[in-house]
Amino acid sequence: MPKSKHVQESLTTMTEMVLPNDTNTLNNLMGGRLLHWMDICAAIAAQKHSSRIVVTASVDNVSFAEAIHLGDIVTIEAKVTRAFNSSMEVSIKVSAQNISAGGELLKTHAAFFTFVAVDQSGRPIEVAPVIVETAEEQELYQSALRRRQLRLVLAGRLKPADATELKNFLNQ
Ligand SMILES: CC(C)(COP(=O)(O)OP(=O)(O)OC[C@H]1O[C@@H](n2cnc3c(N)ncnc32)[C@H](O)[C@@H]1OP(=O)(O)O)[C@@H](O)C(=O)NCCC(=O)NCCS
């Protein structure tokens, strides 16, 4: 098995500025463009953890409650929360800043993406376990199992009856 790695070793931060070509007709950042940036940032985090080629396996629900505006600076932070066999869950947090209006940092989006490490032929390959240090890392690590079970149930890859961790959580 590959050598375990700390969460911080996968930490990846990406900064973008919203330009006219990134926006919709209301001059706000298009959701698809943001998802593209999140996917790249999260893939880099998963590559740092696994030292492998990775592919996006799933994207958990992303809510677009806050608009990000033309000219805003967008910061995306991604880190691996937990590794399973070949798959890794990546936590992504997005914030936006209008620097000319004071630069207040607004947390706008949060999501979990799942990546799978693959070999040169695209076959899944084992990844290193994650070592957690902080209380937040520990909480994300523990809750990752029920999120994995939920996404595998929704993808038709796990029978609801076998999603024991998820069932225990829902029955609390
Ligand atoms: C992701 C992919 C490698 C999985 O391949 P597979 O043949 O189904 O392999 P397996 O059944 O062995 O699953 C491998 C891992 O993927 C995970 N996985 C598969 N589908 C998943 C899904 N919808 N959500 C979350 N994880 C998923 C499995 O749980 C497993 O994780 P584990 O090894 O940690 O237990 C394959 O479906 C693929 O290459 N998809 C295309 C990826 C891609 O091109 N992404 C960009 C989109 S354009």
Side-chain angles (χ1 to χ4, degrees):
M1 178 182 292
K3 191 171 166 284
S4 304
K5 282 192 184 168
H6 295 90
V7 172
Q8 287 303 310
E9 292 179 71
S10 66
L11 184 64
T12 304
T13 306
M14 200 167 107
T15 309
E16 296 279 347
M17 181 165 65
V18 181
L19 294 172
N21 201 36
D22 302 320
T23 62
N24 60 22
T25 49
L26 291 172
N27 281 340
N28 293 329
L29 176 62
M30 287 183 67
R33 180 76 78 202
L34 179 61
L35 288 173
H36 175 71
W37 291 340
M38 290 164 80
D39 194 31
I40 293 173
C41 187
I44 295 169
Q47 282 193 12
K48 283 185 187 174
H49 179 79
S50 62
S51 305
R52 293 281 180 184
I53 300 167
V54 300
V55 294
T56 315
S58 75
V59 173
D60 289 8
N61 61 303
V62 184
S63 300
F64 294 94
E66 297 280 353
I68 299 179
H69 310 289
L70 178 64
D72 281 359
I73 303 302
V74 178
T75 304
I76 303 166
E77 192 182 283
K79 59 189 177 189
V80 173
T81 60
R82 184 162 178 169
F84 293 94
N85 302 304
S86 63
S87 69
M88 294 154 278
E89 183 191 74
V90 180
S91 158
I92 304 148
K93 290 182 179 160
V94 181
S95 54
Q97 260 178 308
N98 180 336
I99 289 179
S100 61
E104 188 193 346
L105 203 64
L106 182 66
K107 289 180 183 169
T108 55
H109 301 77
F112 293 99
F113 285 19
T114 301
F115 288 82
V116 174
V118 294
D119 64 16
Q120 290 293 338
S121 310
R123 281 187 297 266
I125 191 163
E126 191 181 20
V127 293
V130 166
I131 304 168
V132 294
E133 287 171 302
T134 67
E136 188 204 10
E137 289 173 5
Q138 178 67 31
E139 197 287 316
L140 283 168
Y141 182 93
Q142 272 175 353
S143 53
L145 181 56
R146 65 171 181 262
R147 287 190 295 276
R148 167 185 164 94
Q149 291 185 345
L150 177 60
R151 64 179 74 96
L152 292 180
V153 166
L154 291 174
R157 288 178 152 263
L158 180 68
K159 290 184 192 141
D162 294 335
T164 47
E165 184 77 15
L166 177 63
K167 280 197 297 187
N168 289 343
F169 177 73
L170 294 174
N171 289 332
Q172 274 174 13

